[in-house]
Amino acid sequence: MASHFNNAHHLQIDNYQSVNIINPSADSLGALQAQIAAGAIHDSRERCDAPKCHPETRVAVQDDLYGWIVDGDGESERPRDVKWVTGPAGTGKTAVMGSLADRCAANGVLGATFFFASWSASIGRRRKTSFVTTIAYQLARYREDLQTAISTAVEKNPDVFEKNLHVQMEALVLSPLRELVRQSDGPGLRGAIIIDGLDECEAEQYHDTTSTGARGKPVRTNAQDQLEILQVLRAASSDPSFPFRILIASRPERVFREFFDPKSNPTLFADKLDLNEDYNANADMTLFLEAQFNLLRRRYNLPHSWPPPNTIQTLVENASGQFIYAATVIRFLDAGHRESPKALLEAILKMGSKLNSNSNPLKQLDILYSNILESSPDPLLSIQWIRAVRWIGDTPEASAFSVTTLLQTDPESDEAEHLLGNLYSLIWIPPPSDQATSGYDFYHKSLFDYLDDPGRCESLYESARRLHTLQGPSYTS
């Protein structure tokens, strides 16, 4: 991303942590910065371990999207400035968007990003509140003249942070862009706004106090807040002064299917790209597994004959287009179990032999999750811990140390390692030296889709529910 700041209003933007306020412009940007979700930006510290496409994989889809950002639709009569990237859980949407954001940033065509995450301890990544302010803040970093226009907008609208998203988009983004178009003699703006995981945006927790119950029922649903963001982005894309192409990645939930349906929304000029239907992921997954097995062979001094013939082909077929399956298999083999990677791989391959070719595409992932969880010395208590970590993780102060201290029954025991030590392929556990400041993290939302669905989790779900009842309050979210 281009940087054109001068010394008169320098911002310390590394990790988005501090602002050197030495003039009114910087003062306004400092006020704006205080309202952003820093962890939602593509290169934030919170996303340092976020999934990215393995080199030489997903090349076609990335080239397609990047070409659209830079060159548009070619000879299309009406440019389509919005593209919806979709696909089921585990098809690699976030990895594609993350790698694409890096590529756009390196080439100076990245306007802004926002990566939602329902599992994040940062409330800003889970809700709409900081969406427009985070976009505006990044645009202010894009060019000096745009920075000045956005700073002026903040000065003129000091209460804008208390307004709804439509008002914020108009005041902080569209009005400054119009002003820039009127005044600028330089090259025009171009680039991309990349939004990932919009289906993971949770509703603001307003409640109807007239309803029964202590807090009443929520006034808004997740779908309503997601639709509000879609409508805000649509209004931006239709403004003649808005120069950016918008990419929105989400699962194919109903609110998105209806919004992007040309029949129900004929005035929206948008394209759809389905990672599951439009691109064959098998070749990319084969490259990924080949590279990872090479690393495992070197790391564990395994023979060149490992893995056995047709293993990669079998794993690719079992994945059914879900990159999360392949990634979880590799993490499981490399998690430092007492068993060797050879023995663990044999167990994984035996799981697949029990299924027929017409199985549910999620079945292999479910079986993999079940086997990993059952490798814990106490699977049901481990699930209790996972649910609790997810629930307590909603608070910013939820470091791994504080969560462990709260959950363990014996302060002298290493209960966390006992219960979670075999689950490193599902949950990221910070090293002991960082546990006072870093929290637990989960690799993919599909784990909770599995745990929350009795039809998929089956016996583990029912046993865990009974354990909830026996032990007291539930930690389910």
Side-chain angles (χ1 to χ4, degrees), residues 53-355:
C53 295
H54 190 273
E56 300 182 7
T57 67
R58 295 305 215 185
V59 173
V61 65
Q62 288 189 69
D63 285 348
D64 186 359
L65 293 172
Y66 185 78
W68 174 76
I69 290 167
V70 174
D71 300 320
D73 299 311
E75 298 179 357
S76 174
E77 293 182 4
R78 171 67 185 267
R80 298 181 182 273
D81 294 329
V82 179
K83 190 179 288 287
W84 177 36
V85 179
T86 190
T91 49
K93 297 181 293 297
T94 295
V96 169
M97 294 297 102
S99 295
L100 182 66
D102 287 343
R103 181 175 178 179
C104 290
N107 293 325
V109 292
L110 183 66
T113 57
F114 199 104
F115 283 72
F116 285 95
S118 60
W119 44 262
S120 174
S122 169
I123 196 169
R125 292 190 66 187
R126 303 198 313 271
R127 295 182 186 165
K128 68 180 184 181
T129 312
S130 301
F131 177 72
V132 173
T133 54
T134 305
I135 298 298
Y137 177 73
Q138 293 171 85
L139 293 179
R141 295 171 49 212
Y142 194 60
R143 273 190 10 182
E144 185 175 356
D145 49 4
L146 188 53
Q147 178 198 28
T148 301
I150 292 175
S151 298
T152 301
V154 175
E155 292 170 12
K156 289 181 176 178
N157 302 276
D159 63 341
V160 68
F161 306 126
E162 304 302 320
K163 303 299 184 180
N164 63 51
L165 297 189
H166 291 273
V167 173
Q168 289 185 4
M169 179 62 78
E170 174 64 30
L172 298 176
V173 177
L174 297 180
S175 290
L177 284 170
R178 294 189 200 109
E179 186 66 23
L180 199 63
V181 169
R182 284 195 293 268
Q183 296 182 358
S184 178
D185 296 324
L189 287 166
R190 66 168 186 163
I193 308 291
I194 296 176
I195 314 300
D196 181 71
L198 184 49
D199 57 292
E200 297 190 35
C201 177
E202 300 174 351
E204 294 285 356
Q205 298 303 299
Y206 306 120
H207 285 74
D208 178 6
T209 56
T210 64
S211 301
T212 57
R215 298 180 64 196
K217 62 181 180 180
V219 175
R220 302 274 290 185
T221 65
N222 293 353
Q224 287 174 315
D225 278 10
Q226 293 160 15
L227 179 60
E228 182 181 354
I229 292 175
L230 289 171
Q231 292 169 337
V232 166
L233 292 171
R234 174 184 177 178
S237 70
S238 63
D239 191 295
S241 300
F242 189 81
F244 300 101
R245 301 191 186 278
I246 300 174
L247 283 86
I248 301 167
S250 77
R251 297 186 188 185
E253 311 293 6
R254 179 176 179 178
V255 62
F256 298 95
R257 296 196 312 271
E258 292 180 350
F259 184 82
F260 288 104
D261 184 353
K263 295 180 180 178
S264 61
N265 211 346
T267 60
L268 174 66
F269 287 85
D271 276 335
K272 171 186 172 185
L273 189 153
D274 192 316
L275 292 180
N276 191 48
E277 297 178 357
D278 298 336
Y279 290 88
N280 185 347
N282 289 357
D284 285 342
M285 210 175 304
T286 298
L287 288 172
F288 169 77
L289 289 170
E290 287 174 346
Q292 295 303 310
F293 276 117
N294 286 338
L295 290 174
L296 289 172
R297 271 199 303 270
R298 291 194 292 270
R299 185 169 297 155
Y300 294 96
N301 196 27
L302 296 168
H304 287 286
S305 58
W306 187 83
N310 299 321
T311 294
I312 291 178
Q313 180 182 350
T314 299
L315 293 175
V316 169
E317 292 173 354
N318 290 347
S320 299
Q322 296 172 308
F323 266 86
I324 185 62
Y325 175 86
T328 303
V329 165
I330 294 300
R331 284 197 298 267
F332 184 59
L333 298 179
D334 195 30
H337 295 280
R338 292 188 180 89
E339 299 91 342
S340 69
K342 292 176 66 175
L344 294 172
L345 179 59
E346 289 175 7
I348 290 172
L349 294 174
K350 287 179 181 177
M351 301 175 204
S353 66
K354 301 174 184 178
L355 300 176

Side-chain angles (χ1 to χ4, degrees), residues 4-31:
H4 301 278
F5 292 119
N6 59 39
N7 292 330
H9 42 72
H10 175 263
L11 290 180
Q12 176 60 44
I13 60 175
D14 292 340
N15 293 327
Y16 310 97
Q17 292 298 309
S18 62
V19 177
N20 183 21
I21 303 175
I22 56 179
N23 66 19
S25 175
D27 202 3
S28 297
L29 289 176

